[in-house]
Amino acid sequence: MKKRLALSTIAATLLAASSLGFAADDTFKIGLILPMTGQQASTGKQIAAAAQLYMAQNGSTVAGKKIELIIKDDAATPDVTKRLAQELVVNDKVNVLGGFGVTPAAFAAAPIATQSKTPMVVMAAATSIITQASPYIVRTSFTLPQAAVAMGDWAAKNGIKKAVTLVSDYGPGLDAEKYFKERLTFNGGQVVEALRVPLRSPDFAPFLQKVRDIKPDALFVFVPSGAGAAVMKQFLERGMDKAGIKLIGTGDVTDDDQLNDMGDGAIGVVTSHHYSAAHPSAANKKFVEAFEKANKGMRPNFMAVAGYDGMRVIYEALKATKGNGGGDALLAAMKGQIFESPRGPMFIDAQTRDVVQNIYIRRVQKVNGQLYNVEFDVLKDVKDPGKAK
Ligand code: VNL
């Protein structure tokens, strides 16, 4: 009863806000909700920096509208995300919502996007099902099934018969675990143990000790961006690499934000992902150089590229609607966009509103004295395998 009352109050407020119509002024507001503090702060920092770079490079006036970027910190806490999304829609009257560092944050904001008909550009969260939480969601990051399936194929073809999976115990981790296992098993391999660690303040030590005892051919890991260095450190400290256990995973674990500080022990780790700062294209070279220059040498990671592309999707939608489209028109103009991203070719599938992109197989190598994920194989135009089920 109480819940129903609260929901109807929100709906009434949103209705009142939207019936006022679009602000008669010439501003176009983009409200990004990002984890700028707390455990996922690196994700917020990367996306905010990339969004600001995109604006610096492409100007802040589009189709006669002055773009205003509003960044709010939710510390990856869904209750806060929800409140901020409401405030941005009702008080600030943003035209587009964006950001969303973790899956629970994206889910918390989805009903607000639906009720207020505000396009919501997901720039980080990567659980497959997120795009189904609202018809107003468009995603520019990736999905864990996209990346994990590629690793399941690669592992089986590269002598990995027995694997253990170790994932953060929430949406993206469960997707990674499921799709890696399905694919490895399909290819004749086996997951002998599936370990899940808590998302908040994870202690990897007891889990890694267990893996050491099992001694599989490989340990497949998914942890969210920002947690990879801790896993790598503990893995190496236990001498697991020397014991013949290969570390593999989705590219979240060898995140470009942390990779260069992981030490030479990380060399040789193979992962699958949609973006590497070492992606050899002119567009990426330009992006990485400009990003590093604007951010005191900070290397862009897969979060940054999704923020950058997310801004592009918003800018192009604003151009296509000539500055006077509401939420539905903007959303329609986001669907089906196709362009060259620093990651490679990228496409927003009009049916699913999800990203279709290349998934690369990469190996950590030293290039000019720095550690990078060097791409050596590619699966082209991968759709989210989660959508087919
Ligand atoms: C998520 C997925 C978050 C992949 C991540 O880092 C990540 C998520 C913050 O969906 O919560 O690398």
Side-chain angles (χ1 to χ4, degrees), residues 275-278 283-293 298-300 372:
Y275 180 68
S276 163
N284 185 50
K285 210 162 174 254
K286 209 175 134 216
F287 168 66
V288 173
E289 277 172 15
F291 189 94
E292 289 183 344
K293 192 162 172 236
M298 177 165 86
R299 187 194 288 182
Y372 280 98

Short mmCIF file of all heavy atoms in Angstrom, two decimals, residues 275-278 283-293 298-300 372:
data_model
loop_
_atom_site.label_atom_id
_atom_site.label_comp_id
_atom_site.label_asym_id
_atom_site.label_seq_id
_atom_site.Cartn_x
_atom_site.Cartn_y
_atom_site.Cartn_z
N TYR A 275 37.16 -3.23 -25.97
CA TYR A 275 38.04 -2.08 -26.11
C TYR A 275 39.39 -2.30 -25.44
O TYR A 275 39.47 -2.80 -24.31
CB TYR A 275 37.41 -0.81 -25.51
CG TYR A 275 38.34 0.39 -25.66
CD1 TYR A 275 38.60 0.91 -26.93
CD2 TYR A 275 39.01 0.95 -24.57
CE1 TYR A 275 39.48 1.97 -27.11
CE2 TYR A 275 39.88 2.02 -24.74
CZ TYR A 275 40.11 2.52 -26.01
OH TYR A 275 40.99 3.56 -26.19
N SER A 276 40.43 -1.89 -26.15
CA SER A 276 41.77 -1.79 -25.58
C SER A 276 42.33 -0.43 -25.97
O SER A 276 42.16 0.00 -27.12
CB SER A 276 42.67 -2.89 -26.14
OG SER A 276 44.03 -2.57 -25.90
N ALA A 277 43.02 0.22 -25.05
CA ALA A 277 43.67 1.50 -25.37
C ALA A 277 44.72 1.30 -26.46
O ALA A 277 45.13 2.25 -27.11
CB ALA A 277 44.30 2.10 -24.12
N ALA A 278 45.12 0.03 -26.67
CA ALA A 278 46.11 -0.26 -27.71
C ALA A 278 45.45 -0.62 -29.05
O ALA A 278 46.15 -1.03 -29.98
CB ALA A 278 47.00 -1.42 -27.25
N ALA A 283 41.62 6.37 -35.43
CA ALA A 283 40.61 6.99 -34.57
C ALA A 283 40.95 6.77 -33.09
O ALA A 283 40.81 7.67 -32.25
CB ALA A 283 39.23 6.43 -34.88
N ASN A 284 41.42 5.56 -32.77
CA ASN A 284 41.75 5.30 -31.36
C ASN A 284 43.00 6.03 -30.92
O ASN A 284 43.08 6.53 -29.80
CB ASN A 284 41.90 3.80 -31.11
CG ASN A 284 42.11 3.52 -29.64
OD1 ASN A 284 41.35 4.02 -28.80
ND2 ASN A 284 43.15 2.76 -29.31
N LYS A 285 43.97 6.09 -31.79
CA LYS A 285 45.22 6.78 -31.46
C LYS A 285 44.92 8.24 -31.09
O LYS A 285 45.41 8.77 -30.09
CB LYS A 285 46.15 6.71 -32.67
CG LYS A 285 47.60 6.71 -32.29
CD LYS A 285 48.51 6.22 -33.39
CE LYS A 285 49.93 6.42 -32.91
NZ LYS A 285 50.65 7.49 -33.48
N LYS A 286 44.08 8.83 -31.89
CA LYS A 286 43.69 10.22 -31.68
C LYS A 286 42.94 10.37 -30.34
O LYS A 286 43.20 11.30 -29.57
CB LYS A 286 42.77 10.64 -32.84
CG LYS A 286 42.82 12.10 -33.18
CD LYS A 286 41.98 12.40 -34.42
CE LYS A 286 41.14 13.63 -34.13
NZ LYS A 286 39.81 13.60 -34.72
N PHE A 287 42.04 9.44 -30.09
CA PHE A 287 41.25 9.46 -28.86
C PHE A 287 42.16 9.32 -27.63
O PHE A 287 42.08 10.11 -26.68
CB PHE A 287 40.21 8.34 -28.89
CG PHE A 287 39.52 8.08 -27.59
CD1 PHE A 287 38.67 9.04 -27.02
CD2 PHE A 287 39.69 6.87 -26.91
CE1 PHE A 287 38.02 8.80 -25.80
CE2 PHE A 287 39.05 6.63 -25.70
CZ PHE A 287 38.21 7.58 -25.15
N VAL A 288 43.05 8.32 -27.66
CA VAL A 288 43.91 8.06 -26.50
C VAL A 288 44.83 9.26 -26.24
O VAL A 288 44.98 9.70 -25.09
CB VAL A 288 44.74 6.77 -26.71
CG1 VAL A 288 45.77 6.59 -25.60
CG2 VAL A 288 43.83 5.55 -26.76
N GLU A 289 45.41 9.79 -27.30
CA GLU A 289 46.32 10.94 -27.13
C GLU A 289 45.60 12.14 -26.53
O GLU A 289 46.09 12.78 -25.60
CB GLU A 289 46.94 11.32 -28.48
CG GLU A 289 48.15 10.46 -28.80
CD GLU A 289 48.69 10.67 -30.23
OE1 GLU A 289 48.31 11.68 -30.87
OE2 GLU A 289 49.48 9.82 -30.66
N ALA A 290 44.42 12.44 -27.07
CA ALA A 290 43.66 13.60 -26.58
C ALA A 290 43.22 13.39 -25.13
O ALA A 290 43.27 14.30 -24.30
CB ALA A 290 42.46 13.85 -27.48
N PHE A 291 42.79 12.16 -24.82
CA PHE A 291 42.32 11.84 -23.46
C PHE A 291 43.47 11.98 -22.46
O PHE A 291 43.34 12.60 -21.41
CB PHE A 291 41.75 10.43 -23.43
CG PHE A 291 41.05 10.07 -22.14
CD1 PHE A 291 39.68 10.23 -22.00
CD2 PHE A 291 41.77 9.57 -21.06
CE1 PHE A 291 39.03 9.91 -20.81
CE2 PHE A 291 41.13 9.24 -19.87
CZ PHE A 291 39.75 9.40 -19.75
N GLU A 292 44.63 11.42 -22.82
CA GLU A 292 45.79 11.48 -21.91
C GLU A 292 46.24 12.92 -21.72
O GLU A 292 46.59 13.34 -20.62
CB GLU A 292 46.92 10.60 -22.45
CG GLU A 292 46.58 9.11 -22.31
CD GLU A 292 47.69 8.15 -22.75
OE1 GLU A 292 48.65 8.58 -23.44
OE2 GLU A 292 47.58 6.96 -22.40
N LYS A 293 46.20 13.68 -22.80
CA LYS A 293 46.63 15.08 -22.74
C LYS A 293 45.70 15.90 -21.83
O LYS A 293 46.16 16.73 -21.03
CB LYS A 293 46.62 15.66 -24.15
CG LYS A 293 47.31 17.00 -24.25
CD LYS A 293 47.67 17.37 -25.68
CE LYS A 293 48.18 18.81 -25.71
NZ LYS A 293 47.44 19.64 -26.65
N MET A 298 46.35 10.16 -17.70
CA MET A 298 45.44 9.03 -17.40
C MET A 298 45.05 8.33 -18.70
O MET A 298 44.66 8.96 -19.67
CB MET A 298 44.18 9.53 -16.68
CG MET A 298 43.15 8.46 -16.41
SD MET A 298 41.90 8.95 -15.19
CE MET A 298 40.69 9.77 -16.19
N ARG A 299 45.18 7.01 -18.69
CA ARG A 299 44.87 6.23 -19.89
C ARG A 299 43.36 5.92 -19.93
O ARG A 299 42.81 5.49 -18.93
CB ARG A 299 45.66 4.93 -19.85
CG ARG A 299 45.56 4.10 -21.12
CD ARG A 299 46.07 2.69 -20.91
NE ARG A 299 47.51 2.59 -20.77
CZ ARG A 299 48.15 1.43 -20.62
NH1 ARG A 299 47.46 0.29 -20.60
NH2 ARG A 299 49.45 1.39 -20.48
N PRO A 300 42.71 6.14 -21.08
CA PRO A 300 41.28 5.81 -21.14
C PRO A 300 41.06 4.30 -21.09
O PRO A 300 41.85 3.54 -21.68
CB PRO A 300 40.84 6.37 -22.49
CG PRO A 300 42.08 6.39 -23.32
CD PRO A 300 43.22 6.63 -22.38
N TYR A 372 50.02 -3.28 -21.95
CA TYR A 372 48.79 -3.06 -22.73
C TYR A 372 48.12 -4.39 -23.04
O TYR A 372 48.77 -5.44 -23.07
CB TYR A 372 49.12 -2.38 -24.07
CG TYR A 372 49.33 -0.89 -23.97
CD1 TYR A 372 50.62 -0.37 -23.90
CD2 TYR A 372 48.25 -0.02 -23.94
CE1 TYR A 372 50.83 1.01 -23.80
CE2 TYR A 372 48.45 1.36 -23.85
CZ TYR A 372 49.74 1.87 -23.78
OH TYR A 372 49.93 3.22 -23.69
#
